[in-house]
Amino acid sequence: MASRTHSCVFGVSTSLSGKTWQWRGGNMDLGGGVAGLEDDIVTQLLLSRGVEREELELHRSPTLSAFLPDPSCFRDMDVAAERIAQAILSREAVTIYGDYDVDGATSAALLVKLFRLLGHDARYYIPDRLLEGYGPGGEALVRIGQGGSSLVVTVDCGAMAHEALTMARDAGVDVIVVDHHKCPPDLPPAIALVNPNRLDESDLAASHGHLAAVGVAFILAIAVVRTLRNCGYFAERAEPDIRGLLDLVALGTVADVAALRGLNRAFVSQGLKVMARRNNIGMSALIDASRLKRAPVCSDLGFALGPRINAGGRVGESTLGVRLLTTEDADEAREIAAQLSALNEERRAIEAEVQEAAEQQLAAQHNRSVHILAGEAWHPGVIGIVAGRIKEKTGKPSIVIALDKTTGQGKGSGRSIAGVDLGAAIIAAREQGLPVAGGGHAMAAGLTVAADGVEALADWLEERLAATVAGAIAGQTLALDLAVAPKGLTPDLVSSLERAGPYGMGWPGPRVAVGPVQLVKADTVGNDHLRLIAAGPDGGSIKAIAFRAASTDWGQAILHNGRGRKLWLAGRAKIDDWGARPAAELHLEDAAWAD
C-alpha cells in the first residue's frame, strides 16, 4: 500500500511500479473540468518543461526564425557548404551515403531533394545492415569513387570512421561527414566534419547536440543555399524554398527519439504542417499505407510512419526508405509504401520470436543491473527494438546481441534508463578491448563483440554500472502535471493539453493523475495489454489501457488484487475515436492503492 507523505502527489511515495509520484511543476488540480483554464494549462506545461517566463510566447508556437542558429556557428559548416556549392557549380558527381534507419533515410532523402531543387542530381548509397553493418565502409567509399563520384557526403554516420575515411582519402575521394553521434577527440580525415557533438565545438553549437542528423543536414542545406546565393547562382533562377523539406526533418527527428526541445520542437511543429500538405509523393503514400485518415500528429511519426521506413533497413532492402521519400512517381510510391508495410508486419513477427527467446534468459539474470541477452539466429534487424522492450519490462539497461556462428561475433544493441549513460559505458568498454567496436548515446548504444567475449563484457558493465543503476532506480519518480476527477477526463482537456505540444523525448507529454477510482473491470487484451474500467465518487467513469503491462509486476497486482479496491491512476490523456463520438481515455503508466 502506498505510504502517505506531504511532498508526494496523493501521498504516493511507492506506487505499484515502485515510483514516487511528484508534481513536475505546480499543482494543477482541476477537479471536474477545465472551463476557462486552457491558457493557464498551457502556461503551466511550458513552465514545468523549463521555459523561462520571458520566452513563453516563443515556445507556444515554436518557429524556425526563433530557434535557428547561424549555420556558421558549427565547425566546418562553411567548408562543407562551399565544397557542395562547388560541386553544384561544376556539375560534379556526388553521392549521399546514409544510414539504414529513419534518421539516415530522411537525411539522405533531404540532401538528394536539395540537389534536385538546386538543379543538380545526387546519387545515394545505403549500406546493407547485415552484409555491411553500420557506418561508411572503406571499400564502399572507394567503389563509389571509382563509379565517378569525387565527393561523398555521409549522413547519420562517419564521425568515428577513421579507417574508412582514410581509404577514401587515399583513393582521391573527398568526404564530408554530417553526423550527430558522439565524436572521439581524434577526428577521422574528412574535408569537413559537421557535428554539434564534436568535442571542440563552441558552446552555441554544442547546445544543439540534441539534433538528429536530419536536423544537422537541414542546417547544412541552409548554408549551401546561402553560399550559392552569395555566388550569384540565383541571379537567373528561382531560389528554392527549402522549408518544404521540413516534413523529412520532422519524421527523422521523432523517429530517432531526439529530444524535442528548442530547435527540434520548431522542426517538428513546422514539419507536421508541411506533412499535412502532402507535397512529398512518397510521404503521402506512406501516410496512406499507415491507414491514417487525418493529418499525422507527432506520435504517428514514431509509431506508424517511422517503423515502416525502418522495416526496410531491418528486414528488407535498405534503400527502400530513400527511394520512397525521393520518388516523383505516384505509382512507384504506392508500391514501395505497400512493400514497407508488409516488411513491417514481417518485422513484428520476427521481433516477437526474438523477444520471447530473450525473455527466457531473464530469470537467470534477476540480480544483474544490466541485462545482456544473446542468442544465435536472432535477427540483427530487431535487436534494438527488443532491447527497448526488455528495458521497459525490467526497468534496467538492456543489451540484446545477435550472435553469428559463422563469424564468431555478435552484433548488439542496447537501451538505457534515465541517469545511466550506456553509450559512454560502451565506449569505455571498447577502449578496454572488450567489444570490437561500439558507441552511441546516453540512452542507446550499439556494439560488435566476439561471441566468447560476451560474458566478460557483461561482468565489466556490471561492475562499472551497478551503483549507477541502483541509484537511478532508487531515485525514480513519476512526474505528474495535473490531477482530475474521472468526469474531468474529457476530449476538451485532451485538446487543451495538446496545445503545448509537440511532445516527445525531452519534452514529455502531460501526465494526468485520476482518482480515487474503484476498479470495475480489469483484463488482458491484445499483446499483453492491461485494460481497466474504473468509476469515481463524482459519478464519472474512465477507460484506461496500459500497453504491454499485463505481465509486469504492477499489472499482475491489479489483475489479481484490484477487484473492488480503490486506486489512483496515472498516465496520458488521449482521444478514443472508435465510437460514434470521440471520448477521452487514459493510457495508463502507473497506479497506486488508494485504500
Side-chain angles (χ1 to χ4, degrees):
M1 179 175 295
S3 63
R4 310 282 180 175
T5 65
H6 179 69
S7 61
C8 303
V9 178
F10 301 144
V12 179
S13 62
T14 307
S15 70
L16 292 182
S17 69
K19 297 182 178 67
T20 300
W21 288 10
Q22 294 184 343
W23 293 116
R24 195 190 312 273
N27 179 350
M28 281 197 292
D29 190 340
L30 303 182
V34 296
L37 295 178
E38 289 87 351
D39 288 338
D40 290 341
I41 288 176
V42 173
T43 297
Q44 182 62 60
L45 292 174
L46 295 177
L47 290 172
S48 64
R49 281 151 183 75
V51 176
E52 300 293 336
R53 284 193 175 273
E54 58 269 22
E55 296 184 346
L56 281 171
E57 295 312 310
L58 290 178
H59 289 267
R60 287 185 194 276
S61 299
T63 62
L64 294 187
S65 60
F67 292 97
L68 261 176
D70 183 337
S72 297
C73 78
F74 296 92
R75 288 190 179 275
D76 284 0
M77 180 68 78
D78 291 340
V79 175
E82 289 167 6
R83 181 64 183 87
I84 292 174
Q86 174 190 337
I88 291 172
L89 291 169
S90 62
R91 320 306 295 172
E92 185 179 350
V94 179
T95 294
I96 312 301
Y97 193 118
D99 188 23
Y100 38 67
D101 68 359
V102 184
D103 193 16
T106 52
S107 299
L110 186 147
L111 291 186
V112 168
K113 292 178 78 68
L114 172 70
F115 272 78
R116 290 179 186 171
L117 289 172
L118 295 172
H120 192 37
D121 284 324
R123 307 165 186 170
Y124 59 82
Y125 184 93
I126 309 295
D128 184 279
R129 177 190 291 264
L130 300 182
L131 299 179
E132 298 177 82
Y134 170 76
E139 294 181 358
L141 291 174
V142 171
R143 285 198 307 273
I144 290 170
Q146 292 171 343
S149 291
S150 50
L151 174 63
V152 175
V153 183
T154 72
V155 286
D156 197 29
C157 58
M160 301 183 71
H162 292 79
E163 182 178 351
L165 267 61
T166 298
M167 291 177 64
R169 181 195 61 192
D170 293 345
V173 179
D174 286 347
V175 178
I176 294 171
V177 174
V178 181
D179 205 350
H180 69 133
H181 294 98
K182 288 184 176 180
C183 286
D186 56 324
L187 299 177
I191 66 167
L193 196 155
V194 183
N195 186 336
N197 288 306
R198 284 177 57 152
L199 297 180
D200 58 350
E201 268 297 7
S202 67
D203 290 343
L204 175 58
S207 70
H208 292 84
H210 62 296
L211 295 180
V214 70
V216 182
F218 183 80
I219 297 175
L220 173 60
I222 295 173
V224 170
V225 171
R226 182 176 65 181
T227 301
L228 289 171
R229 184 190 308 125
N230 294 338
C231 293
Y233 187 70
F234 303 113
E236 297 181 359
R237 63 186 302 143
E239 182 173 326
D241 183 357
I242 62 174
R243 290 176 297 181
L245 302 174
L246 285 171
D247 54 350
L248 296 169
V249 182
L251 177 56
T253 297
V254 174
D256 209 51
V257 202
L260 294 191
R261 52 185 173 84
L263 180 55
N264 276 346
R265 277 192 76 228
F267 277 152
V268 175
S269 180
Q270 301 305 316
L272 286 170
K273 296 176 184 177
V274 174
M275 196 176 293
R277 296 198 288 266
R278 289 187 173 230
N279 291 333
N280 184 315
I281 292 172
M283 189 77 76
S284 181
L286 184 64
I287 294 169
D288 289 339
S290 301
R291 301 184 183 89
L292 294 178
K293 304 301 182 183
R294 47 164 172 73
V297 297
C298 189
S299 59
D300 295 326
L301 309 189
F303 293 104
L305 307 187
R308 285 170 166 77
I309 297 293
N310 257 334
R314 291 186 185 280
V315 298
E317 182 186 338
S318 61
T319 62
L320 287 175
V322 181
R323 284 176 54 200
L324 173 66
L325 296 173
T326 58
T327 185
E328 296 176 359
D329 183 312
D331 290 336
E332 181 185 28
R334 283 190 292 271
E335 181 180 335
I336 296 174
Q339 187 177 356
L340 286 171
S341 287
L343 287 170
N344 194 44
E345 291 302 313
E346 180 182 344
R347 185 269 305 169
R348 291 185 189 208
I350 294 171
E351 173 195 326
E353 292 178 2
V354 174
Q355 183 171 346
E356 181 180 2
E359 288 187 358
Q360 291 176 359
Q361 298 181 17
L362 280 176
Q365 296 190 19
H366 67 279
N367 288 326
R368 285 276 187 179
S369 300
V370 180
H371 294 299
I372 297 188
L373 313 164
E376 292 182 357
W378 291 1
H379 198 297
V382 302
I383 54 177
I385 301 174
V386 174
R389 301 271 190 247
I390 300 294
K391 183 262 292 188
E392 291 296 327
K393 185 180 184 70
T394 64
K396 297 179 179 179
S398 300
I399 298 173
V400 177
I401 300 173
L403 300 175
D404 188 324
K405 194 173 183 179
T406 303
T407 65
Q409 290 188 333
K411 297 288 186 181
S413 186
R415 298 294 183 268
S416 194
I417 62 175
V420 181
D421 191 335
L422 188 59
I426 294 299
I427 291 173
R430 188 193 70 221
E431 293 171 350
Q432 296 294 318
L434 293 165
V436 177
H441 310 293
M443 301 297 287
L447 58 90
T448 301
V449 62
D452 58 6
V454 172
E455 187 173 348
L457 174 63
D459 291 341
W460 189 90
L461 287 173
E462 185 70 19
E463 181 177 354
R464 178 183 175 92
L465 295 178
T468 304
V469 172
I473 292 175
Q476 284 185 341
T477 61
L478 193 76
L480 295 161
D481 291 282
L482 70 158
V484 297
K487 277 189 175 180
L489 191 68
T490 66
D492 285 343
L493 173 63
V494 177
S495 178
S496 296
L497 296 176
E498 287 301 315
R499 289 174 53 206
Y503 299 106
M505 177 64 68
W507 193 267
R511 192 174 284 118
V512 181
V514 184
V517 296
Q518 185 164 358
L519 192 61
V520 176
K521 180 180 179 182
D523 60 1
T524 301
V525 295
N527 184 19
D528 197 38
H529 307 321
L530 172 65
R531 180 177 60 182
L532 307 180
I533 297 177
D538 65 342
S541 64
I542 66 168
K543 182 173 73 173
I545 185 165
F547 296 104
R548 297 184 180 87
S551 62
T552 63
D553 291 342
W554 69 273
Q556 288 292 299
I558 292 175
L559 285 169
H560 295 295
N561 304 315
R563 185 175 298 277
R565 296 189 66 175
K566 291 182 178 179
L567 288 159
W568 302 106
L569 303 177
R572 317 282 183 176
K574 298 292 183 180
I575 294 294
D576 175 12
D577 52 11
W578 282 101
R581 292 188 303 172
E585 66 179 10
L586 192 68
H587 286 189
L588 191 65
E589 294 177 292
D590 202 1
W593 302 126
D595 54 10

